[in-house]
Amino acid sequence: MPPARKRPRAMKIWVDADACPVVAREILFRAAERTGIRLTLVANQPMNTPNSDIIRSIQVPRGFDVADDEIVRRVDEGDLVITSDIPLAAEVIEKGAHALSPRGELHTRENIGAKLNMRDFMDTMRSSGVEMGGGPAAYGQRDKQEFANALDRLLARHGKGD
């Protein structure tokens, strides 16, 4: 008799919520309810979430990378992390999770190294006094659509894991 197949664990979605735009969180709330995938917001401040059995938030103490460290500690292979933080994306990818920015950019094993290098280069330039401009553009309708489309594609491809 062949050994019993291990049932795959269902995907969970983790959100680096301190920097996640409200409109992206609303897209995530609808996607979680539609798919039944557990969604957890991790932040160092209270987060408003809908009254739901599958949506929750975890408040962590204030401090450098405290929310990131909590996500890395809890994430499992196959989970999805929503973050624009490149070092956090690299850590969760290393654990076998997926990383998607709130602007719809999928971070992968193939592209994360170059993104880390560019981030480090920009940090070096800023710390040496080079004026780099004023950060990312405001979150707009195109960003919202790109995120919703990328999220839908990823969820359709990976499903609930059951």
Side-chain angles (χ1 to χ4, degrees), residues 94-157:
E94 188 65 32
K95 288 188 76 173
H98 308 281
L100 180 66
S101 84
R103 294 179 185 263
E105 186 176 8
L106 185 63
H107 305 294
T108 66
R109 287 188 187 278
E110 292 74 30
N111 68 23
I112 199 67
K115 291 178 182 189
L116 280 169
N117 288 338
M118 180 56 77
R119 178 193 173 276
D120 292 345
F121 172 74
M122 299 299 273
D123 281 350
T124 300
M125 296 297 287
R126 278 190 291 275
S127 67
S128 67
V130 175
E131 200 57 42
M132 301 303 294
Y139 194 83
Q141 184 62 34
R142 182 166 190 208
D143 297 310
K144 174 183 172 182
Q145 193 63 51
E146 293 284 332
F147 176 65
N149 290 341
L151 179 65
D152 283 345
R153 282 191 304 271
L154 198 134
L155 295 179
R157 197 167 58 236

Short mmCIF file of all heavy atoms in Angstrom, two decimals, residues 94-157:
data_model
loop_
_atom_site.label_atom_id
_atom_site.label_comp_id
_atom_site.label_asym_id
_atom_site.label_seq_id
_atom_site.Cartn_x
_atom_site.Cartn_y
_atom_site.Cartn_z
N GLU A 94 13.43 33.55 0.66
CA GLU A 94 14.39 32.54 1.12
C GLU A 94 13.67 31.41 1.87
O GLU A 94 14.10 30.26 1.81
CB GLU A 94 15.44 33.20 2.02
CG GLU A 94 16.57 32.30 2.40
CD GLU A 94 17.43 31.86 1.21
OE1 GLU A 94 17.58 32.62 0.24
OE2 GLU A 94 17.94 30.72 1.26
N LYS A 95 12.55 31.73 2.54
CA LYS A 95 11.78 30.72 3.26
C LYS A 95 10.78 29.99 2.36
O LYS A 95 10.02 29.15 2.82
CB LYS A 95 11.04 31.37 4.44
CG LYS A 95 11.96 31.78 5.57
CD LYS A 95 11.19 32.24 6.79
CE LYS A 95 10.60 31.05 7.52
NZ LYS A 95 9.98 31.44 8.81
N GLY A 96 10.76 30.34 1.07
CA GLY A 96 9.87 29.67 0.13
C GLY A 96 8.50 30.32 -0.02
O GLY A 96 7.60 29.75 -0.62
N ALA A 97 8.35 31.53 0.51
CA ALA A 97 7.09 32.26 0.37
C ALA A 97 7.14 33.15 -0.87
O ALA A 97 8.20 33.34 -1.47
CB ALA A 97 6.83 33.09 1.62
N HIS A 98 6.01 33.71 -1.23
CA HIS A 98 5.89 34.64 -2.33
C HIS A 98 5.86 36.05 -1.76
O HIS A 98 5.36 36.27 -0.66
CB HIS A 98 4.60 34.40 -3.12
CG HIS A 98 4.42 32.97 -3.53
ND1 HIS A 98 5.07 32.42 -4.62
CD2 HIS A 98 3.69 31.97 -2.99
CE1 HIS A 98 4.74 31.15 -4.72
NE2 HIS A 98 3.91 30.85 -3.74
N ALA A 99 6.38 37.02 -2.51
CA ALA A 99 6.38 38.41 -2.07
C ALA A 99 5.86 39.29 -3.20
O ALA A 99 6.35 39.23 -4.33
CB ALA A 99 7.78 38.84 -1.66
N LEU A 100 4.87 40.11 -2.87
CA LEU A 100 4.22 40.98 -3.85
C LEU A 100 4.15 42.38 -3.27
O LEU A 100 3.75 42.55 -2.11
CB LEU A 100 2.81 40.46 -4.16
CG LEU A 100 1.96 41.24 -5.16
CD1 LEU A 100 2.57 41.15 -6.56
CD2 LEU A 100 0.53 40.70 -5.16
N SER A 101 4.53 43.38 -4.06
CA SER A 101 4.45 44.76 -3.57
C SER A 101 3.01 45.27 -3.72
O SER A 101 2.26 44.77 -4.57
CB SER A 101 5.41 45.67 -4.33
OG SER A 101 4.82 46.11 -5.53
N PRO A 102 2.62 46.28 -2.94
CA PRO A 102 1.28 46.86 -3.09
C PRO A 102 1.08 47.55 -4.44
O PRO A 102 -0.03 47.94 -4.77
CB PRO A 102 1.21 47.89 -1.95
CG PRO A 102 2.23 47.46 -0.96
CD PRO A 102 3.32 46.82 -1.77
N ARG A 103 2.13 47.67 -5.22
CA ARG A 103 2.02 48.23 -6.57
C ARG A 103 1.95 47.14 -7.63
O ARG A 103 1.98 47.40 -8.83
CB ARG A 103 3.18 49.18 -6.85
CG ARG A 103 3.15 50.42 -5.96
CD ARG A 103 4.31 51.34 -6.23
NE ARG A 103 4.32 52.45 -5.30
CZ ARG A 103 3.81 53.66 -5.55
NH1 ARG A 103 3.27 53.92 -6.70
NH2 ARG A 103 3.87 54.60 -4.63
N GLY A 104 1.91 45.87 -7.19
CA GLY A 104 1.73 44.75 -8.12
C GLY A 104 3.00 44.14 -8.65
O GLY A 104 2.96 43.34 -9.58
N GLU A 105 4.13 44.48 -8.07
CA GLU A 105 5.41 43.93 -8.54
C GLU A 105 5.74 42.66 -7.76
O GLU A 105 5.86 42.68 -6.54
CB GLU A 105 6.52 44.97 -8.33
CG GLU A 105 7.83 44.55 -8.89
CD GLU A 105 8.89 45.64 -8.76
OE1 GLU A 105 8.65 46.66 -8.10
OE2 GLU A 105 9.97 45.41 -9.32
N LEU A 106 5.88 41.55 -8.48
CA LEU A 106 6.20 40.28 -7.85
C LEU A 106 7.71 40.19 -7.65
O LEU A 106 8.48 40.33 -8.59
CB LEU A 106 5.71 39.12 -8.73
CG LEU A 106 5.88 37.73 -8.13
CD1 LEU A 106 5.06 37.56 -6.85
CD2 LEU A 106 5.46 36.67 -9.15
N HIS A 107 8.11 39.99 -6.41
CA HIS A 107 9.52 39.78 -6.09
C HIS A 107 9.77 38.27 -6.18
O HIS A 107 8.99 37.48 -5.67
CB HIS A 107 9.84 40.27 -4.67
CG HIS A 107 9.45 41.69 -4.42
ND1 HIS A 107 10.05 42.75 -5.06
CD2 HIS A 107 8.52 42.24 -3.60
CE1 HIS A 107 9.50 43.89 -4.63
NE2 HIS A 107 8.58 43.59 -3.75
N THR A 108 10.86 37.89 -6.84
CA THR A 108 11.16 36.47 -7.06
C THR A 108 12.62 36.18 -6.74
O THR A 108 13.44 37.10 -6.61
CB THR A 108 10.91 36.08 -8.53
OG1 THR A 108 11.85 36.78 -9.36
CG2 THR A 108 9.48 36.39 -8.97
N ARG A 109 12.96 34.90 -6.68
CA ARG A 109 14.36 34.50 -6.49
C ARG A 109 15.23 35.08 -7.61
O ARG A 109 16.39 35.41 -7.40
CB ARG A 109 14.49 32.98 -6.48
CG ARG A 109 13.98 32.33 -5.23
CD ARG A 109 14.33 30.84 -5.20
NE ARG A 109 13.68 30.18 -4.08
CZ ARG A 109 14.16 30.19 -2.85
NH1 ARG A 109 15.28 30.81 -2.58
NH2 ARG A 109 13.51 29.56 -1.88
N GLU A 110 14.65 35.20 -8.81
CA GLU A 110 15.40 35.68 -9.97
C GLU A 110 15.66 37.19 -9.93
O GLU A 110 16.66 37.64 -10.48
CB GLU A 110 14.67 35.32 -11.26
CG GLU A 110 14.63 33.83 -11.57
CD GLU A 110 13.65 33.04 -10.69
OE1 GLU A 110 12.62 33.60 -10.25
OE2 GLU A 110 13.94 31.86 -10.43
N ASN A 111 14.79 37.98 -9.31
CA ASN A 111 14.97 39.43 -9.38
C ASN A 111 15.32 40.09 -8.04
O ASN A 111 15.67 41.27 -8.01
CB ASN A 111 13.76 40.12 -10.02
CG ASN A 111 12.50 40.06 -9.17
OD1 ASN A 111 12.52 39.90 -7.96
ND2 ASN A 111 11.36 40.21 -9.84
N ILE A 112 15.25 39.38 -6.94
CA ILE A 112 15.42 40.02 -5.64
C ILE A 112 16.87 40.47 -5.41
O ILE A 112 17.10 41.50 -4.77
CB ILE A 112 14.89 39.13 -4.49
CG1 ILE A 112 14.66 39.98 -3.22
CG2 ILE A 112 15.81 37.96 -4.21
CD1 ILE A 112 13.55 40.97 -3.34
N GLY A 113 17.85 39.73 -5.91
CA GLY A 113 19.24 40.13 -5.74
C GLY A 113 19.54 41.49 -6.36
O GLY A 113 20.18 42.35 -5.74
N ALA A 114 19.06 41.70 -7.57
CA ALA A 114 19.27 42.98 -8.24
C ALA A 114 18.55 44.11 -7.49
O ALA A 114 19.08 45.21 -7.37
CB ALA A 114 18.78 42.91 -9.69
N LYS A 115 17.37 43.82 -6.97
CA LYS A 115 16.63 44.84 -6.21
C LYS A 115 17.35 45.20 -4.91
O LYS A 115 17.40 46.37 -4.53
CB LYS A 115 15.22 44.35 -5.92
CG LYS A 115 14.36 44.27 -7.17
CD LYS A 115 12.99 43.73 -6.86
CE LYS A 115 12.19 43.61 -8.13
NZ LYS A 115 10.80 43.31 -7.90
N LEU A 116 17.91 44.19 -4.24
CA LEU A 116 18.70 44.45 -3.02
C LEU A 116 19.93 45.29 -3.35
O LEU A 116 20.26 46.24 -2.62
CB LEU A 116 19.13 43.14 -2.36
CG LEU A 116 18.09 42.44 -1.50
CD1 LEU A 116 18.57 41.04 -1.15
CD2 LEU A 116 17.78 43.23 -0.24
N ASN A 117 20.61 44.95 -4.43
CA ASN A 117 21.79 45.72 -4.84
C ASN A 117 21.43 47.18 -5.15
O ASN A 117 22.14 48.10 -4.74
CB ASN A 117 22.47 45.08 -6.05
CG ASN A 117 23.19 43.81 -5.71
OD1 ASN A 117 23.55 43.57 -4.55
ND2 ASN A 117 23.39 42.96 -6.70
N MET A 118 20.33 47.40 -5.86
CA MET A 118 19.92 48.76 -6.19
C MET A 118 19.53 49.52 -4.92
O MET A 118 19.89 50.70 -4.77
CB MET A 118 18.74 48.73 -7.18
CG MET A 118 18.26 50.13 -7.56
SD MET A 118 19.56 51.18 -8.25
CE MET A 118 19.69 50.54 -9.89
N ARG A 119 18.84 48.86 -4.02
CA ARG A 119 18.47 49.51 -2.75
C ARG A 119 19.72 49.92 -1.98
O ARG A 119 19.81 51.04 -1.48
CB ARG A 119 17.61 48.56 -1.92
CG ARG A 119 17.21 49.12 -0.58
CD ARG A 119 16.63 48.01 0.31
NE ARG A 119 16.40 48.50 1.64
CZ ARG A 119 17.33 48.56 2.60
NH1 ARG A 119 18.56 48.16 2.35
NH2 ARG A 119 17.04 49.02 3.79
N ASP A 120 20.69 49.02 -1.88
CA ASP A 120 21.93 49.32 -1.17
C ASP A 120 22.68 50.47 -1.84
O ASP A 120 23.23 51.35 -1.17
CB ASP A 120 22.82 48.08 -1.07
CG ASP A 120 22.23 47.01 -0.17
OD1 ASP A 120 21.29 47.31 0.61
OD2 ASP A 120 22.69 45.86 -0.24
N PHE A 121 22.72 50.47 -3.17
CA PHE A 121 23.37 51.54 -3.91
C PHE A 121 22.71 52.88 -3.61
O PHE A 121 23.39 53.88 -3.35
CB PHE A 121 23.34 51.24 -5.42
CG PHE A 121 23.82 52.37 -6.27
CD1 PHE A 121 25.18 52.67 -6.33
CD2 PHE A 121 22.93 53.11 -7.01
CE1 PHE A 121 25.63 53.73 -7.13
CE2 PHE A 121 23.36 54.17 -7.80
CZ PHE A 121 24.72 54.48 -7.86
N MET A 122 21.40 52.92 -3.65
CA MET A 122 20.66 54.16 -3.38
C MET A 122 20.90 54.63 -1.95
O MET A 122 21.07 55.83 -1.71
CB MET A 122 19.17 53.97 -3.66
CG MET A 122 18.85 53.61 -5.10
SD MET A 122 19.38 54.86 -6.27
CE MET A 122 17.97 55.91 -6.26
N ASP A 123 20.93 53.70 -0.98
CA ASP A 123 21.24 54.06 0.41
C ASP A 123 22.63 54.68 0.51
O ASP A 123 22.83 55.67 1.21
CB ASP A 123 21.15 52.84 1.32
CG ASP A 123 19.73 52.47 1.69
OD1 ASP A 123 18.80 53.26 1.41
OD2 ASP A 123 19.54 51.38 2.27
N THR A 124 23.59 54.08 -0.17
CA THR A 124 24.96 54.60 -0.16
C THR A 124 25.01 56.00 -0.75
O THR A 124 25.66 56.90 -0.20
CB THR A 124 25.91 53.65 -0.94
OG1 THR A 124 25.87 52.37 -0.33
CG2 THR A 124 27.32 54.18 -0.95
N MET A 125 24.32 56.21 -1.85
CA MET A 125 24.29 57.52 -2.49
C MET A 125 23.67 58.57 -1.56
O MET A 125 24.21 59.66 -1.40
CB MET A 125 23.52 57.47 -3.82
CG MET A 125 24.15 56.58 -4.87
SD MET A 125 25.78 57.15 -5.40
CE MET A 125 25.31 58.56 -6.37
N ARG A 126 22.54 58.22 -0.94
CA ARG A 126 21.88 59.16 -0.03
C ARG A 126 22.77 59.48 1.17
O ARG A 126 22.88 60.64 1.57
CB ARG A 126 20.54 58.59 0.45
CG ARG A 126 19.40 58.80 -0.53
CD ARG A 126 18.06 58.43 0.08
NE ARG A 126 17.93 57.01 0.33
CZ ARG A 126 17.53 56.12 -0.57
NH1 ARG A 126 17.22 56.50 -1.79
NH2 ARG A 126 17.43 54.85 -0.27
N SER A 127 23.42 58.45 1.73
CA SER A 127 24.25 58.69 2.91
C SER A 127 25.51 59.48 2.59
O SER A 127 26.11 60.09 3.47
CB SER A 127 24.60 57.36 3.60
OG SER A 127 25.45 56.59 2.78
N SER A 128 25.91 59.51 1.31
CA SER A 128 27.08 60.30 0.92
C SER A 128 26.69 61.73 0.52
O SER A 128 27.52 62.50 0.07
CB SER A 128 27.84 59.61 -0.20
OG SER A 128 27.07 59.59 -1.38
N GLY A 129 25.40 62.05 0.68
CA GLY A 129 24.95 63.42 0.44
C GLY A 129 24.37 63.69 -0.92
O GLY A 129 23.97 64.82 -1.21
N VAL A 130 24.28 62.69 -1.78
CA VAL A 130 23.70 62.89 -3.10
C VAL A 130 22.18 63.01 -2.96
O VAL A 130 21.54 62.17 -2.33
CB VAL A 130 24.07 61.72 -4.05
CG1 VAL A 130 23.37 61.87 -5.40
CG2 VAL A 130 25.57 61.63 -4.22
N GLU A 131 21.62 64.05 -3.53
CA GLU A 131 20.17 64.27 -3.49
C GLU A 131 19.50 63.31 -4.47
O GLU A 131 19.80 63.31 -5.66
CB GLU A 131 19.88 65.72 -3.87
CG GLU A 131 18.54 66.24 -3.44
CD GLU A 131 18.27 66.16 -1.95
OE1 GLU A 131 19.15 66.45 -1.13
OE2 GLU A 131 17.13 65.78 -1.62
N MET A 132 18.58 62.46 -3.97
CA MET A 132 17.99 61.40 -4.79
C MET A 132 16.54 61.66 -5.17
O MET A 132 15.92 60.82 -5.78
CB MET A 132 18.08 60.06 -4.05
CG MET A 132 19.48 59.62 -3.69
SD MET A 132 20.61 59.48 -5.07
CE MET A 132 19.90 58.16 -5.97
N GLY A 133 15.97 62.76 -4.79
CA GLY A 133 14.57 62.98 -5.11
C GLY A 133 13.68 62.57 -3.95
O GLY A 133 14.15 62.13 -2.91
N GLY A 134 12.40 62.64 -4.14
CA GLY A 134 11.47 62.50 -3.03
C GLY A 134 10.72 61.20 -2.92
O GLY A 134 9.52 61.22 -2.77
N GLY A 135 11.32 60.08 -3.05
CA GLY A 135 10.66 58.81 -2.80
C GLY A 135 9.69 58.40 -3.89
O GLY A 135 9.63 59.02 -4.95
N PRO A 136 8.90 57.37 -3.62
CA PRO A 136 7.99 56.85 -4.65
C PRO A 136 6.84 57.82 -4.93
O PRO A 136 6.47 58.62 -4.08
CB PRO A 136 7.47 55.53 -4.06
CG PRO A 136 7.66 55.67 -2.59
CD PRO A 136 8.82 56.60 -2.39
N ALA A 137 6.30 57.71 -6.12
CA ALA A 137 5.15 58.51 -6.51
C ALA A 137 3.94 58.13 -5.66
O ALA A 137 3.88 57.04 -5.09
CB ALA A 137 4.84 58.29 -7.99
N ALA A 138 2.97 59.02 -5.60
CA ALA A 138 1.73 58.74 -4.88
C ALA A 138 1.07 57.49 -5.46
O ALA A 138 1.18 57.21 -6.65
CB ALA A 138 0.79 59.93 -4.98
N TYR A 139 0.39 56.74 -4.59
CA TYR A 139 -0.30 55.52 -4.99
C TYR A 139 -1.52 55.92 -5.80
O TYR A 139 -2.42 56.59 -5.29
CB TYR A 139 -0.69 54.74 -3.74
CG TYR A 139 -1.11 53.31 -4.00
CD1 TYR A 139 -0.16 52.31 -4.13
CD2 TYR A 139 -2.45 52.95 -4.09
CE1 TYR A 139 -0.53 50.99 -4.35
CE2 TYR A 139 -2.83 51.64 -4.30
CZ TYR A 139 -1.87 50.67 -4.44
OH TYR A 139 -2.23 49.37 -4.65
N GLY A 140 -1.56 55.52 -7.05
CA GLY A 140 -2.64 55.95 -7.94
C GLY A 140 -3.51 54.81 -8.43
O GLY A 140 -3.35 53.65 -8.06
N GLN A 141 -4.43 55.16 -9.32
CA GLN A 141 -5.37 54.19 -9.88
C GLN A 141 -4.65 53.08 -10.63
O GLN A 141 -5.03 51.91 -10.53
CB GLN A 141 -6.35 54.92 -10.82
CG GLN A 141 -7.43 54.03 -11.38
CD GLN A 141 -8.34 53.44 -10.31
OE1 GLN A 141 -8.62 54.08 -9.30
NE2 GLN A 141 -8.81 52.22 -10.52
N ARG A 142 -3.59 53.43 -11.34
CA ARG A 142 -2.84 52.40 -12.08
C ARG A 142 -2.18 51.41 -11.11
O ARG A 142 -2.17 50.21 -11.36
CB ARG A 142 -1.79 53.05 -12.98
CG ARG A 142 -1.05 52.00 -13.78
CD ARG A 142 -0.27 52.61 -14.90
NE ARG A 142 0.21 51.52 -15.75
CZ ARG A 142 1.28 51.57 -16.46
NH1 ARG A 142 2.01 52.66 -16.48
NH2 ARG A 142 1.65 50.56 -17.20
N ASP A 143 -1.61 51.93 -10.00
CA ASP A 143 -1.01 51.05 -8.99
C ASP A 143 -2.06 50.10 -8.41
O ASP A 143 -1.80 48.91 -8.25
CB ASP A 143 -0.40 51.88 -7.85
CG ASP A 143 0.72 52.78 -8.32
OD1 ASP A 143 1.63 52.29 -9.01
OD2 ASP A 143 0.69 53.98 -7.98
N LYS A 144 -3.21 50.64 -8.11
CA LYS A 144 -4.31 49.84 -7.57
C LYS A 144 -4.68 48.71 -8.53
O LYS A 144 -4.82 47.55 -8.13
CB LYS A 144 -5.52 50.75 -7.31
CG LYS A 144 -6.76 50.05 -6.88
CD LYS A 144 -7.91 51.05 -6.73
CE LYS A 144 -9.21 50.35 -6.49
NZ LYS A 144 -10.34 51.29 -6.41
N GLN A 145 -4.81 49.04 -9.82
CA GLN A 145 -5.19 48.04 -10.82
C GLN A 145 -4.09 47.00 -11.00
O GLN A 145 -4.37 45.80 -11.09
CB GLN A 145 -5.51 48.72 -12.15
CG GLN A 145 -6.19 47.80 -13.12
CD GLN A 145 -7.54 47.33 -12.61
OE1 GLN A 145 -8.38 48.13 -12.21
NE2 GLN A 145 -7.75 46.02 -12.60
N GLU A 146 -2.82 47.45 -11.05
CA GLU A 146 -1.70 46.52 -11.18
C GLU A 146 -1.66 45.55 -10.00
O GLU A 146 -1.42 44.35 -10.18
CB GLU A 146 -0.37 47.28 -11.27
CG GLU A 146 -0.19 48.10 -12.52
CD GLU A 146 0.14 47.26 -13.74
OE1 GLU A 146 0.74 46.18 -13.58
OE2 GLU A 146 -0.20 47.69 -14.85
N PHE A 147 -1.88 46.07 -8.80
CA PHE A 147 -1.87 45.22 -7.60
C PHE A 147 -3.01 44.21 -7.65
O PHE A 147 -2.81 43.02 -7.42
CB PHE A 147 -1.96 46.07 -6.33
CG PHE A 147 -2.05 45.24 -5.08
CD1 PHE A 147 -0.99 44.43 -4.69
CD2 PHE A 147 -3.19 45.26 -4.31
CE1 PHE A 147 -1.07 43.65 -3.54
CE2 PHE A 147 -3.28 44.49 -3.15
CZ PHE A 147 -2.22 43.68 -2.77
N ALA A 148 -4.21 44.68 -7.94
CA ALA A 148 -5.38 43.78 -7.98
C ALA A 148 -5.17 42.68 -9.02
O ALA A 148 -5.46 41.50 -8.75
CB ALA A 148 -6.64 44.58 -8.29
N ASN A 149 -4.65 43.03 -10.19
CA ASN A 149 -4.42 42.04 -11.24
C ASN A 149 -3.35 41.03 -10.84
O ASN A 149 -3.51 39.83 -11.03
CB ASN A 149 -4.03 42.72 -12.55
CG ASN A 149 -5.19 43.48 -13.17
OD1 ASN A 149 -6.35 43.26 -12.86
ND2 ASN A 149 -4.86 44.41 -14.05
N ALA A 150 -2.24 41.53 -10.29
CA ALA A 150 -1.15 40.63 -9.87
C ALA A 150 -1.61 39.70 -8.75
O ALA A 150 -1.29 38.50 -8.74
CB ALA A 150 0.07 41.44 -9.44
N LEU A 151 -2.37 40.24 -7.81
CA LEU A 151 -2.89 39.42 -6.71
C LEU A 151 -3.81 38.34 -7.25
O LEU A 151 -3.69 37.17 -6.87
CB LEU A 151 -3.63 40.30 -5.70
CG LEU A 151 -4.24 39.59 -4.51
CD1 LEU A 151 -3.16 38.95 -3.63
CD2 LEU A 151 -5.10 40.56 -3.70
N ASP A 152 -4.72 38.70 -8.13
CA ASP A 152 -5.64 37.72 -8.72
C ASP A 152 -4.88 36.61 -9.46
O ASP A 152 -5.21 35.43 -9.32
CB ASP A 152 -6.64 38.38 -9.67
CG ASP A 152 -7.76 39.10 -8.93
OD1 ASP A 152 -7.93 38.87 -7.72
OD2 ASP A 152 -8.46 39.90 -9.57
N ARG A 153 -3.87 37.00 -10.24
CA ARG A 153 -3.08 35.99 -10.97
C ARG A 153 -2.38 35.05 -10.00
O ARG A 153 -2.40 33.83 -10.18
CB ARG A 153 -2.04 36.68 -11.86
CG ARG A 153 -2.57 37.24 -13.15
CD ARG A 153 -1.47 37.66 -14.11
NE ARG A 153 -0.53 38.60 -13.53
CZ ARG A 153 -0.67 39.93 -13.56
NH1 ARG A 153 -1.72 40.46 -14.16
NH2 ARG A 153 0.23 40.71 -13.03
N LEU A 154 -1.78 35.60 -8.96
CA LEU A 154 -1.04 34.78 -8.01
C LEU A 154 -1.99 33.83 -7.26
O LEU A 154 -1.70 32.65 -7.10
CB LEU A 154 -0.27 35.66 -7.02
CG LEU A 154 0.82 34.92 -6.29
CD1 LEU A 154 2.09 35.74 -6.28
CD2 LEU A 154 0.41 34.59 -4.90
N LEU A 155 -3.13 34.36 -6.81
CA LEU A 155 -4.09 33.52 -6.08
C LEU A 155 -4.68 32.44 -6.98
O LEU A 155 -4.89 31.31 -6.54
CB LEU A 155 -5.18 34.37 -5.46
CG LEU A 155 -4.72 35.35 -4.37
CD1 LEU A 155 -5.90 36.16 -3.84
CD2 LEU A 155 -4.00 34.62 -3.25
N ALA A 156 -4.92 32.76 -8.24
CA ALA A 156 -5.44 31.75 -9.17
C ALA A 156 -4.42 30.65 -9.41
O ALA A 156 -4.76 29.48 -9.51
CB ALA A 156 -5.83 32.41 -10.49
N ARG A 157 -3.15 31.03 -9.48
CA ARG A 157 -2.07 30.06 -9.75
C ARG A 157 -1.80 29.18 -8.55
O ARG A 157 -1.52 27.99 -8.69
CB ARG A 157 -0.81 30.82 -10.15
CG ARG A 157 0.22 29.98 -10.83
CD ARG A 157 1.32 30.78 -11.50
NE ARG A 157 2.04 31.66 -10.60
CZ ARG A 157 2.17 32.98 -10.76
NH1 ARG A 157 1.61 33.58 -11.79
NH2 ARG A 157 2.84 33.69 -9.90
#
